[in-house]
């Protein structure tokens, strides 16, 4: 979900029984191979806890009928054995936006992991290292030759350290983990989309002077004094966006990003929200994806689909295909679509001690009109139980 001329915010948060059967039969509607880049199945062992990560990824160029030469603004990064450590691995998806979105996305995906890899405090204090890496990457992008005034990128990243996931998010891409609960497999969000739909993010950007309005409100078609847009998952039409006090820009539908120096003046920051999860045998796999996937598919729907495939490469293809199909059913174009699926194989109770719940969810602390760039620990945010109709 990018600038004011980006995609709308219609979402389909459920899957019909017919759809569920369609996916479980392994029928894949995905036929568009133009602009498709897919990595074959890969494995990496985590010797400290004696389990294996089996993963694959896919990125699909969006279909824009009026901009056939538009480049894919998504990028992704998979780097194993960070700092030469066989127990530390990085997975990230970056969704660029604006005129120079592709350049921003590729710059950030290279620079962020480079800074993390060179930080000697990474293993001692991953939370601090992550926070510092995002802010340093944002600063280096600002100092680069890339014009980030009205361009930037979201970033959703997972750092695996032994049996622990550190998930850092800036923007509205998403990470989700699949958890076995009896005979059900539930989706638990590892990140929370940072948009004006969230009251805490709305309040924060308002302190920086942002106007929060939909395009219809900005153009005078709807009452600008109405500051309620419903729930993000069920919202239809144009979402609330951020605007400078006396202008028709930048129109971002997210409240955090890397880059976007103009939007930074109205509270769009590169400070990540970080969650920490201790893995257990109940955790089956995690998904890291751009909102090209989650625009019309709920987290539970994505987990249901991924569960139907033994090979994460096939799961990536199926999910990207369904996302692409739904875009064309509801829009005259598609967004760029990028997804990484990482299966967790062989983790046992003897591998390490943990619980099925996320032990720590941390958010950067902002008070008043200033940006305090330290992290504060808060209670768990997720572990939502999906509707029974969503569970495959």
């Amino acid at each position: 979900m990018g600038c004011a001329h980006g995609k709308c915010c219609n979402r389909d948060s459920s899957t019909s029984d017919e759809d569920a059967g369609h996916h479980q039969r392994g029928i894949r509607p995905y036929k568009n191979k133009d602009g498709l880049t897919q990595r074959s199945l890969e494995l990496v062992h985590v010797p400290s806890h004696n389990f294996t990560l089996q993963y694959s990824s896919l990125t699909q160029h969006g279909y824009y009928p009026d901009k056939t030469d538009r480049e894919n603004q998504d990028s992704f990064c998979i780097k194993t054995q960070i700092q030469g450590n066989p127990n530390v691995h990085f997975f990230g998806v970056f969704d660029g936006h604006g005129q120079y979105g592709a350049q921003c996305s590729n710059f950030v995906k290279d620079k962020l992991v480079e800074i993390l890899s060179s930080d000697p405090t990474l293993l001692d204090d991953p939370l601090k290292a992550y926070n510092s890496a995002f802010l340093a990457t944002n600063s280096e992008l600002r100092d680069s030759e890339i014009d980030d005034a009205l361009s930037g990128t979201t970033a959703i990243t997972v750092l695996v350290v032994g049996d622990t996931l550190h998930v850092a998010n800036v923007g509205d891409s998403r990470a989700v983990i699949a958890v076995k609960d009896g005979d059900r497999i539930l989706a638990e969000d590892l990140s929370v989309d940072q948009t004006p739909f969230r009251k805490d993010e709305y309040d924060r950007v308002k302190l920086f002077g942002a106007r929060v309005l939909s395009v219809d409100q900005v153009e005078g078609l709807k009452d600008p004094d109405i500051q309620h847009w419903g729930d993000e998952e069920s919202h239809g039409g144009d979402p609330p966006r951020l605007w400078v006090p006396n202008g028709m820009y930048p129109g971002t539908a997210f409240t955090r990003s890397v880059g976007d120096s103009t939007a930074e003046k109205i509270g769009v920051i590169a400070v990540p929200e970080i969650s920490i999860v201790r893995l257990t045998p109940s955790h089956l796999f995690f998904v890291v994806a751009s909102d090209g996937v989650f625009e019309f598919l709920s987290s539970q729907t994505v987990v249901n689909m991924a569960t139907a495939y033994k090979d994460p490469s096939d799961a990536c293809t199926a999910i990207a295909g369904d996302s692409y199909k739904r875009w064309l059913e509801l829009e005259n174009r598609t967004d760029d679509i990028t997804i990484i699926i990482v299966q967790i194989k062989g983790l046992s109770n003897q591998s390490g001690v943990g619980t099925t719940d996320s032990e720590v969810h941390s958010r950067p602390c902002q008070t008043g009109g200033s940006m305090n760039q330290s992290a504060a620990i808060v209670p768990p945010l997720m572990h939502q139980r999906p509707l029974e109709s969503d569970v495959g």
Side-chain angles (χ1 to χ4, degrees):
M1 189 184 301
C3 66
H5 302 291
K7 58 181 172 289
C8 76
C9 196
N10 294 320
R11 294 178 184 268
D12 179 4
S13 60
S14 65
T15 297
S16 67
D17 292 338
E18 180 181 356
D19 283 341
H22 176 79
H23 301 317
Q24 290 183 6
R25 287 193 301 271
I27 301 171
R28 291 180 284 173
Y30 196 47
K31 297 182 189 284
N32 180 35
K33 300 300 181 183
D34 295 334
L36 174 67
T37 302
Q38 184 166 15
R39 289 177 61 158
S40 59
L41 181 67
E42 298 183 61
L43 302 170
V44 64
H45 190 59
V46 182
S48 64
H49 291 78
N50 195 30
F51 70 96
T52 298
L53 299 175
Q54 181 172 276
Y55 59 90
S56 187
S57 59
L58 179 152
T59 185
Q60 168 66 55
H61 186 287
Y63 169 65
Y64 291 81
D66 56 342
K67 297 179 182 178
T68 55
D69 59 343
R70 179 187 179 278
E71 56 187 324
N72 188 346
Q73 294 186 309
D74 281 4
S75 65
F76 67 90
C77 176
I78 298 174
K79 184 173 177 61
T80 59
Q81 300 190 9
I82 299 286
Q83 296 184 352
N85 190 320
N87 303 305
V88 184
H89 313 287
F90 178 89
F91 304 87
V93 169
F94 307 85
D95 183 353
H97 50 263
Q99 183 177 357
Y100 304 107
Q103 292 93 317
C104 291
S105 173
N106 281 284
F107 181 94
V108 172
K109 66 109 170 168
D110 291 333
K111 185 60 65 175
L112 181 65
V113 74
E114 175 188 316
I115 293 173
L116 275 175
S117 298
S118 62
D119 189 334
T121 72
L122 176 63
L123 299 183
D124 295 328
D125 193 347
L127 188 71
K128 180 180 178 181
Y130 238 153
N131 200 60
S132 298
F134 269 85
L135 295 175
T137 299
N138 189 58
S139 179
E140 293 208 24
L141 176 60
R142 189 70 37 83
D143 294 337
S144 73
E145 295 180 354
I146 301 170
D147 181 0
D148 73 340
L150 293 172
S151 299
T153 184
T154 67
I156 179 67
T157 65
V158 178
L159 181 71
V160 181
V161 182
D163 67 342
T164 302
L165 305 183
H166 298 79
V167 184
N169 180 47
V170 169
D172 57 1
S173 294
R174 192 179 302 175
V176 180
I177 194 164
V179 183
K180 185 171 178 56
D181 181 19
D183 60 354
R184 303 187 302 170
I185 298 176
L186 305 180
E188 293 187 355
D189 288 333
L190 298 174
S191 61
V192 185
D193 298 354
Q194 297 152 351
T195 74
F197 282 105
R198 278 176 48 179
K199 186 178 186 304
D200 58 340
E201 288 293 282
Y202 171 89
D203 291 342
R204 184 180 61 77
V205 297
K206 291 290 284 185
L207 288 173
F208 286 89
R211 291 188 300 151
V212 182
L213 303 165
S214 69
V215 171
D216 282 349
Q217 288 176 309
V218 167
E219 294 178 347
L221 301 176
K222 292 184 177 179
D223 185 355
D225 292 330
I226 297 176
Q227 293 285 283
H228 179 70
W229 300 271
D231 176 76
E232 184 172 7
E233 288 297 325
S234 60
H235 179 75
D238 192 46
R241 298 175 182 274
L242 275 56
W243 313 86
V244 297
N246 298 302
M248 297 282 285
Y249 63 92
T252 61
F254 44 79
T255 54
R256 301 190 189 212
S257 72
V258 182
D260 294 291
S261 58
T262 298
E264 188 174 284
K265 298 171 185 175
I266 54 172
V268 177
I269 56 174
V271 180
E273 292 183 320
I274 302 172
S275 62
I276 303 173
V277 176
R278 179 70 59 82
L279 294 175
T280 75
S282 296
H283 293 117
L284 304 181
F285 60 86
F286 61 87
V287 179
V288 186
S290 64
D291 71 334
V293 169
F294 292 108
E295 185 71 11
F296 300 115
L297 298 178
S298 71
S299 297
Q300 187 64 53
T301 298
V302 169
V303 164
N304 290 350
M305 294 182 67
T307 301
Y309 296 90
K310 292 184 178 180
D311 188 328
S313 300
D314 292 336
C316 285
T317 302
I319 293 167
D322 205 48
S323 301
Y324 195 92
K325 181 185 72 172
R326 295 195 187 208
W327 269 100
L328 292 179
E329 288 173 350
L330 297 164
E331 299 280 333
N332 64 352
R333 66 180 187 88
T334 77
D335 195 10
D336 302 322
I337 293 169
T338 301
I339 182 169
I340 302 170
I341 297 179
V342 183
Q343 296 177 340
I344 303 158
K345 299 285 191 178
L347 183 64
S348 67
N349 286 321
Q350 288 71 39
S351 299
V353 178
T355 67
T356 58
D357 285 338
S358 304
E359 295 181 341
V360 179
H361 279 263
S362 60
R363 286 190 181 184
C365 177
Q366 278 105 23
T367 57
S370 63
M371 284 184 283
N372 180 350
Q373 296 175 338
S374 62
I377 304 301
V378 299
L381 298 171
M382 257 62 65
H383 305 285
Q384 301 168 342
R385 297 302 184 195
L387 298 174
E388 292 295 332
S389 60
D390 272 356
V391 179

